[in-house]
Amino acid sequence: MELGTFKGNATASFFYFFPNAIIDTGDLYPDLFRYNSTRINNFKIDTSSKKEINEKLISQKKKYELIIEDAGHYFKDQIISLFMLFPKLKKGGIFVIEELDFPDTRDDMNTLKEKPTLKDILNLIKEKKDFTSNHVDQSEKKYFLENFKSINIFKGRFNEIAFIEKK
């Protein structure tokens, strides 16, 4: 599943790279999506809305081997997406967060300069330290801490990306 598909260019590459995969793609503006296939399910979703995530994703029985969060990149969106959707990963699955650093480096992604950002949270977890966030309830936190295997953060030429593996 890819969240934040925009025109679908990354989805098109996944389509060819994973020839047997059914790919779910969600975006706030699905009408911009340019590709069509029986293996691609494109839908509208606002990843800043816990209600929409519950209705459109959590309520579905489907589990994923790969979830890519490339949606709004706003402070709370990244946190909400990871902690709500991590249970939707299959055992051994990978959760990817693109532009992990946006809430720290772009004022428009975190206008109130709230802390901790998702990057802060992931670094605290890696350091085996506790964290609190208004966007993560205790059951989501507990599930994540008991079920993640590894967290790797990489810096590209411009931005950071996180890869989180599930046990």
Side-chain angles (χ1 to χ4, degrees):
M1 176 171 56
E2 181 188 17
L3 298 172
T5 55
F6 193 48
K7 294 181 180 179
N9 295 343
T11 305
S13 65
F14 301 143
F15 179 86
Y16 290 103
F17 191 77
F18 301 110
N20 299 316
I22 302 297
I23 305 166
D24 291 342
T25 65
D27 197 275
L28 191 56
Y29 304 103
D31 53 319
L32 297 175
F33 196 79
R34 298 185 292 189
Y35 301 93
N36 189 19
S37 167
T38 57
R39 292 196 301 116
I40 298 174
N41 303 315
N42 187 33
F43 59 94
K44 180 194 177 297
I45 189 162
D46 177 357
T47 58
S48 71
S49 169
K50 285 188 171 194
K51 182 179 182 220
E52 274 199 40
I53 291 173
N54 268 317
E55 289 173 357
K56 295 184 177 182
L57 298 173
I58 303 299
S59 66
Q60 306 299 314
K61 301 229 184 279
K62 190 169 189 178
K63 295 246 183 182
Y64 298 93
E65 295 173 59
L66 176 66
I67 297 175
I68 300 171
E69 197 286 334
D70 190 18
H73 310 300
Y74 292 97
F75 168 78
K76 78 172 190 163
D77 300 14
Q78 290 182 327
I79 296 168
I80 289 169
S81 293
L82 174 62
F83 286 92
M84 285 187 76
L85 294 173
F86 196 72
K88 299 299 284 181
L89 275 179
K90 292 180 180 178
K91 188 177 192 172
I94 305 288
F95 199 106
V96 180
I97 300 123
E98 296 192 20
E99 286 89 30
L100 177 66
D101 54 326
F102 270 19
D104 292 315
T105 60
R106 288 191 43 187
D107 290 337
D108 60 327
M109 300 287 124
N110 188 0
T111 57
L112 300 176
K113 301 288 185 210
E114 294 178 81
K115 290 287 186 177
T117 63
L118 182 56
K119 180 181 171 184
D120 296 332
I121 292 169
L122 293 176
N123 281 322
L124 286 167
I125 292 169
K126 286 175 68 169
E127 295 167 10
K128 298 184 180 358
K129 295 181 180 175
D130 195 22
F131 72 92
T132 57
S133 170
N134 294 334
H135 305 291
V136 181
D137 69 35
Q138 286 304 311
S139 63
E140 292 168 338
K141 178 179 176 178
K142 184 178 189 294
Y143 182 88
F144 183 86
L145 293 174
E146 290 175 352
N147 289 283
F148 87 93
K149 180 178 179 181
S150 65
I151 298 170
N152 292 290
I153 300 171
F154 300 98
K155 171 91 170 119
R157 186 171 173 199
F158 299 107
N159 300 110
E160 293 175 328
I161 188 168
F163 293 86
I164 302 159
E165 185 178 1
K166 190 171 184 179
K167 289 180 184 175

